[in-house]
Amino acid sequence: MSAHHKKVSDIDEKTIEINKSTLWAKLPMIGAALAVVGFLVGFFAPGPGGVFAEDEHLWHAKQWTAYLNAFMFALSLGFGGLIFVIIQHLVRANWSIVVRRLAENAMFTLPFVALAGLPLLIGDTGQAVFEWMHVEEMVHDPMLQAKAAYLNKSAFGARYGLFLGLWGILSLLFWKWSRDQDKAKTTEAADALSYKQRFLAPIALIAFAMSMTFGAFDFMMSLDPHWFSTIFGVYYFAGIALTFHAFLVIVCFFLQRSGMLKGVVTPEHYHDLGKFMFGFTVFWTYIGFSQYFLIWYANIPEETGWFQYRAHGQWLSLSLLLIFGRFILPFFLLLRRGWKRNPNYLVWMAFFVVGMQFVDMFWLIQPPFAHHAASAAAKAGSPEVAEYFHTSITLTGADVGFFIGFTGLFLALFGWSLTTSKLVAIKDPRLEESLNHENF
Amino acid sequence: MAKSKKGSKTKKFGLLAEYDSAAAIFHACEKVRDAGYKRWDSYTPFPVHNLDKAMGIKPSVLPWIVFACGMTGAASGMLLQWWSATIAYPLIIAGKPLFSFQAFVPVTFELGILFSAFGAVFGMLGLNKLPQYYHPLFNIARFARATDDRFFIAIEASDPKYDLDKTRKLLEGTDAVAVEEVDD
């Protein structure tokens, strides 16, 4: 009916390959450079002095907390790619085919970024952040003893190995099958590869849900081993899904600014990505509030503690920033149809959403460090230090360094995958439907 | 007026044109839109994608109604609970403050949703002027096929650009299968 029906053969070859003269072609190198600089800064930047200068272990703990913080942020983009690809195959979505390859490139980073969890198993680095890895803590704590069957270093390592295997297999299978499809000679061969991916999707969904949830338990929830929340994995997932749709908006926007994907990704696709950003904003709030609400209502000390140490001084400001920046602002700023269809506007919201994901990870991971530091200081008889950690956020070179490092690592892997294949799954049997997708 | 064959005693609703395909009505709508008519509508047995663009229909104000209703619902939900918990029946429950907004969020949320849904349904009915017990088009026997396999455009006589001969000529020039005048 519409004025112009696009065909796959109409797509200009140049528009779906990385233009060698743009910065995109150098993205792997730029990412690698950022990673090297970032990790050097993260590991070797001097501490902020004061208490940290006096206590080497404390600085060590802060460094690895910052490491874990940035690690979980970079990992959420890889997770986002994987779950996006799984869901699009599972529901046999048409609209998303033109952006699915970009998601596959992000998905490719997952197993490699996940390898960065390895140092937490080597030597005493794990002890720096995970209270339950300390034997002397455990013998005095009946709660930790009761959880020892799950929370011990070998079980943690075994689960981590299992996650690595699962994430590697799933990501690389989808990634490879999709790339193989580009080389398919016949439509039957292309169909078969689409079918294979669709067949794997439901199995992958269950594997993803379990491994992502327990991964979130192990790497983030166990930072405060006394506390538990069965909705924690869903909370992390809500952030992942929200962030990933925003990430796709950013990638599409800047690829188009460099002259690629012209006429392939249209305002219709931005509209859908924007709708998902809005939807997952509400979903994140729903999950985040559900977690808070039950704990607030029941008012049991072992559960409320987790929120208690996020409700003082600067930590309270951070919690409020999360409520405003992750719910109230984006809720109203993503409401109108016209805004979501305007890439120039939506890309700003997308940057904001991705930025808030880092803040969310900071909010999940850094307070336990400060809480433990405050308790240790109180026990050692220095109430001023305890008060400092109780009310203040410590932002150090390590936080900045690891953020740059992990972002760089992600970009290097993403960029490599991006530059070594077409930007669109050109042989997908339903690509034409996606090209002509419209929101009625 | 004098040209009307049967004498113009009865008031006229307008002109009805019939089409036998979605493509035909789509292009006809574009022509009627470009001719500058404002008070007219199309009737199809199934949704024809993008027909709203072909007709030049502006985006509905319904989202604003829904938004206003949703905000009103959320605000009234919170106010109702604030009033009943702190003024009407100030009871301390579980040792929590009288105004424990956390406990009020679910009802606030639900009322926001409920009012939005009301706004969407009743706003849609209102904007469409529904329910309507009488419509002049039902006087036309052939119009019954609008729910089956025929497509119709009706231009109302109250349109400022309406002129029986010119409008009839316009509709006849759009591949209409039939054009006829409708009594009000």
Side-chain angles (χ1 to χ4, degrees), chain A residues 345-368:
Chain A
Y345 171 86
L346 196 62
V347 74
W348 287 106
M349 286 310 298
F351 269 119
F352 182 71
V353 164
V354 174
M356 284 312 294
Q357 171 72 0
F358 186 76
V359 174
D360 195 3
M361 292 300 104
F362 195 96
W363 185 79
L364 285 178
I365 290 163
Q366 303 260 5

Side-chain angles (χ1 to χ4, degrees), chain A residues 141-153:
Chain A
D141 195 327
M143 184 81 109
L144 290 189
Q145 284 167 26
K147 292 185 179 182
Y150 184 89
L151 284 182
N152 66 75
K153 213 169 170 180

Side-chain angles (χ1 to χ4, degrees), chain A residues 1-2 268 282 286 289 292-293 296-299 331-332 335-336 341 438-440, chain B residues 22-23 26 48-50 53 64 67 71 94 96-97 100 102-106 109:
Chain A
M1 280 301 119
S2 56
E268 304 294 337
V282 178
Y286 186 83
F289 184 75
Y292 170 75
F293 187 47
W296 171 85
Y297 227 129
N299 213 4
F331 178 83
F332 289 104
L335 257 180
R336 290 202 67 193
R341 295 176 69 86
E438 273 185 87
N439 291 287
F440 294 106
Chain B
F26 192 88
V48 177
H49 286 162
N50 274 331
K53 282 178 201 154
W64 289 103
F67 180 70
M71 290 294 122
K96 292 185 163 67
S100 294
Q102 293 95 331
F104 303 160
V105 167
F109 171 75

Side-chain angles (χ1 to χ4, degrees), chain A residues 110-409:
Chain A
L110 177 64
F112 302 100
V113 171
L115 281 176
L118 216 50
L120 292 169
L121 286 165
I122 299 168
D124 63 346
T125 45
Q127 272 95 315
V129 284
F130 296 117
E131 186 191 355
W132 53 266
M133 279 193 190
H134 292 263
V135 177
E136 67 277 17
E137 290 276 347
M138 220 178 83
V139 286
H140 300 301
D141 195 327
M143 184 81 109
L144 290 189
Q145 284 167 26
K147 292 185 179 182
Y150 184 89
L151 284 182
N152 66 75
K153 213 169 170 180
S154 357
F156 181 86
R159 284 194 301 272
Y160 173 65
L162 187 69
F163 300 154
L164 267 188
L166 267 177
W167 299 338
I169 290 169
L170 294 179
S171 298
L172 297 178
L173 270 185
F174 279 119
W175 183 79
K176 185 163 184 307
W177 285 344
S178 181
R179 288 190 163 209
D180 286 350
Q181 197 178 41
D182 282 4
K183 296 178 211 107
K185 297 245 162 40
T186 59
T187 48
E188 288 76 28
D191 284 350
L193 280 160
S194 271
Y195 179 77
K196 253 164 120 177
Q197 296 183 68
R198 208 149 58 232
F199 183 83
L200 182 60
I203 303 160
L205 184 74
I206 295 166
F208 169 86
M210 300 298 281
S211 58
M212 187 272 306
T213 303
F214 282 95
F217 287 175
D218 284 3
F219 281 101
M220 290 189 287
M221 199 168 89
S222 81
L223 288 170
D224 185 344
H226 295 101
W227 185 78
F228 52 90
S229 161
T230 45
I231 209 172
F232 193 83
V234 188
Y235 180 88
Y236 185 45
F237 165 75
I240 288 169
L242 170 59
T243 309
F244 193 71
H245 289 97
F247 171 76
L248 277 183
V249 169
I250 297 174
V251 175
C252 289
F253 179 82
F254 284 101
L255 278 174
Q256 291 198 311
R257 249 176 67 132
S258 306
M260 288 159 278
L261 296 179
K262 284 270 155 86
V264 177
V265 176
T266 66
E268 304 294 337
H269 301 107
Y270 283 108
H271 188 186
D272 276 348
L273 291 170
K275 282 189 276 189
F276 276 113
M277 278 165 67
F278 177 78
F280 278 112
T281 294
V282 178
F283 184 69
W284 176 87
T285 314
Y286 186 83
I287 298 303
F289 184 75
S290 299
Q291 179 171 279
Y292 170 75
F293 187 47
L294 294 191
I295 290 171
W296 171 85
Y297 227 129
N299 213 4
I300 300 169
E302 67 174 4
E303 291 176 344
T304 50
W306 197 81
F307 284 104
Q308 201 70 52
Y309 56 76
R310 285 169 171 83
H312 291 282
Q314 294 177 351
W315 295 110
L316 178 64
S317 309
L318 187 72
S319 304
L320 292 174
L321 172 67
L322 210 56
I323 296 170
F324 279 90
R326 238 180 175 193
F327 173 55
I328 297 174
L329 272 178
F331 178 83
F332 289 104
L333 293 178
L334 286 169
L335 257 180
R336 290 202 67 193
R337 178 184 162 97
W339 295 340
K340 282 173 279 202
R341 295 176 69 86
N342 178 358
N344 292 314
Y345 171 86
L346 196 62
V347 74
W348 287 106
M349 286 310 298
F351 269 119
F352 182 71
V353 164
V354 174
M356 284 312 294
Q357 171 72 0
F358 186 76
V359 174
D360 195 3
M361 292 300 104
F362 195 96
W363 185 79
L364 285 178
I365 290 163
Q366 303 260 5
F369 157 76
H371 174 58
H372 288 142
S375 319
K379 229 181 262 174
S382 34
E384 317 82 59
V385 177
E387 181 60 17
Y388 167 78
F389 281 113
H390 201 47
T391 53
S392 307
I393 296 174
T394 319
L395 207 60
T396 66
D399 292 292
V400 180
F402 286 124
F403 172 69
I404 296 173
F406 271 103
T407 309
L409 177 65

Side-chain angles (χ1 to χ4, degrees), chain A residues 77-78 80-85 88 96 98-109 175 244 247-248 251 414 418 423:
Chain A
L77 292 170
L82 178 59
I83 191 62
F84 185 87
V85 171
Q88 304 314 320
S96 59
V98 293
V99 294
R100 208 188 59 223
R101 174 58 53 81
L102 304 174
E104 285 161 3
N105 292 330
M107 169 181 79
F108 171 77
T109 68
W175 183 79
F244 193 71
F247 171 76
L248 277 183
V251 175
F414 175 71
L418 196 69
L423 295 172

